[in-house]
Amino acid sequence: MTTSAPPPQQPPSRRIAEELRAEIEAGRLSPGDKLPSERALAERYGTARNTAREAIRLLAEQGLVTAKQGRGVFVREPQRLFRFGSDRYSSKNRETGLTPFRLEAQRQGKTARIDVVSIDRETPPKDIAERLNVPSDEASVLHRENHYFADDEPVQIVSTYLRWDETQGTALMQPKTGPHGIYGRLEELGHVMTRVRDEISARMPTPEEAAVLELLPGVPVLEVLHTSLDQDGVPFEVSRYVHRADQTGLLYELPVE
C-alpha cells in the first residue's frame, strides 16, 4: 500500500498572511481597521519580526492593506473603479457634457482628475499604425498622453493617437479641447463614432507605468487597445488604456445577434 506524501508546509509568513486575509474576508477586520504591529504579530505567531513584516508585504501586494507613514498598516477600503465599456460612448451619456471617465467616476462617487502629460507629433508604434491606417515610418500621428486619477489616486494611463493630417492646427492640439472632449472635436471633423473595437489583455507593467500608477510589486495592469470607427467604418482614433488591475474592473453588456 502506498501512502501519499504530506502536503508541503507553508512558509510562516504566508500562513500569517492567509490567516489575516481570512479575518479581513470574514469581516473580523473591517476597512479602516488597524492591523497589529509587527512586534504584536510576531508575538502572536511566535515568529521573528521579519516574518511578520513579510506577511504584511504579502497582504499589501494583494491590495488588502495599506501602510500610512508613522501611523501603521490599515485594511484598505474597496476602491474598484469600473469602466463601462458597453455604453461609455453612448449618445445619452454624451448629453451630460462629461467625458466618459468623468461620468464613470461621478457614478461611483469619486472625484476625477485628468493630467495632460504631453501632446506631440510622433511616429506611431506599429500596432497603432496598423489600426489607424497611417504610415509607421514617419511622424503621422498626434499623440496625447493623459494620466487619470480618482480621488487623487492614479488609476490609468491613456495614450491617444489621431491622424496628424486631420488634427494639426485644431483644438485637438490643446490640453483642453472643449465640450465633449476629443470626440466632440472629431465629430466636427466628420467622424461620428458608430462602432468601437476593444482588445483587452493583462500583463505586467513597465517600470515607467508602475511608477506613474504607484503599483506595488507584483500588481499587473489591464491594457485596453481601443479603436473608434466612424459612420463609414473608417478608424479615426486609437487609444491605449493602461489600468491598475487592483482598482479597475471592465463591464460589458452586449446584444446577442
Side-chain angles (χ1 to χ4, degrees):
M1 183 179 68
T2 60
T3 58
S4 58
Q9 195 168 19
Q10 285 184 322
S13 58
R14 188 166 296 277
R15 177 174 56 84
I16 296 170
E18 290 192 359
E19 290 191 17
L20 291 172
R21 179 189 180 106
E23 291 189 34
I24 293 170
E25 291 177 344
R28 291 189 291 274
L29 284 172
S30 302
D33 284 353
K34 185 177 180 180
L35 261 63
S37 67
E38 291 176 5
R39 183 187 299 276
L41 286 174
E43 291 176 355
R44 178 195 297 182
Y45 292 99
T47 63
R49 287 186 61 177
N50 285 347
T51 301
R53 184 178 303 120
E54 174 65 11
I56 291 172
R57 186 189 68 79
L58 291 170
L59 291 173
E61 283 188 358
Q62 297 168 28
L64 295 174
V65 301
T66 186
K68 298 182 180 180
Q69 187 67 33
R71 296 177 55 195
V73 178
F74 296 82
V75 179
R76 288 186 68 172
E77 295 276 355
Q79 294 186 359
R80 191 166 294 273
L81 182 70
F82 280 94
R83 170 189 168 97
F84 297 108
S86 50
D87 72 345
R88 72 192 318 258
Y89 305 107
S90 67
S91 57
K92 72 177 187 298
N93 288 338
R94 289 281 305 280
E95 292 170 0
T96 67
L98 298 174
T99 62
F101 178 78
R102 291 189 185 279
L103 181 59
E104 287 165 344
Q106 183 185 82
R107 285 175 172 177
Q108 295 165 72
K110 298 179 181 297
T111 300
R113 188 180 98 233
I114 303 172
D115 291 351
V116 180
V117 178
S118 62
I119 304 174
D120 298 301
R121 182 182 183 180
E122 291 182 1
T123 300
K126 185 177 179 180
D127 59 347
I128 300 297
E130 289 174 349
R131 287 157 179 78
L132 200 53
N133 293 335
V134 296
S136 61
D137 57 355
E138 60 183 75
S140 58
V141 297
L142 179 72
H143 173 204
R144 299 175 58 96
E145 179 164 328
N146 295 343
H147 296 169
Y148 288 67
F149 300 78
D151 290 345
D152 289 326
E153 193 157 13
V155 292
Q156 65 185 31
I157 301 167
V158 182
S159 299
T160 295
Y161 298 88
L162 308 166
R163 290 191 184 85
W164 173 253
D165 58 6
E166 289 188 318
T167 56
Q168 59 177 316
T170 71
L172 290 163
M173 299 182 66
Q174 304 301 319
K176 294 185 178 181
T177 56
H180 308 300
I182 66 168
Y183 296 110
R185 308 293 72 72
L186 288 163
E187 281 197 8
E188 294 168 357
L189 294 174
H191 297 296
V192 178
M193 187 190 303
T194 58
R195 190 158 58 94
V196 301
R197 182 188 301 120
D198 282 356
E199 303 167 64
I200 303 167
S201 58
R203 59 175 173 81
M204 297 309 295
T206 66
E208 294 78 11
E209 291 167 345
V212 170
L213 295 173
E214 299 177 6
L215 293 175
L216 293 166
V219 176
V221 294
L222 292 174
E223 179 177 304
V224 179
L225 189 57
H226 165 90
T227 303
S228 297
L229 298 102
D230 69 11
Q231 67 279 3
D232 299 316
V234 175
F236 63 92
E237 173 253 345
V238 178
S239 291
R240 192 188 312 278
Y241 293 80
V242 179
H243 302 270
R244 288 183 60 143
D246 62 339
Q247 292 196 19
T248 304
L250 305 177
L251 177 61
Y252 288 79
E253 294 183 9
L254 307 174
V256 178
E257 298 178 354

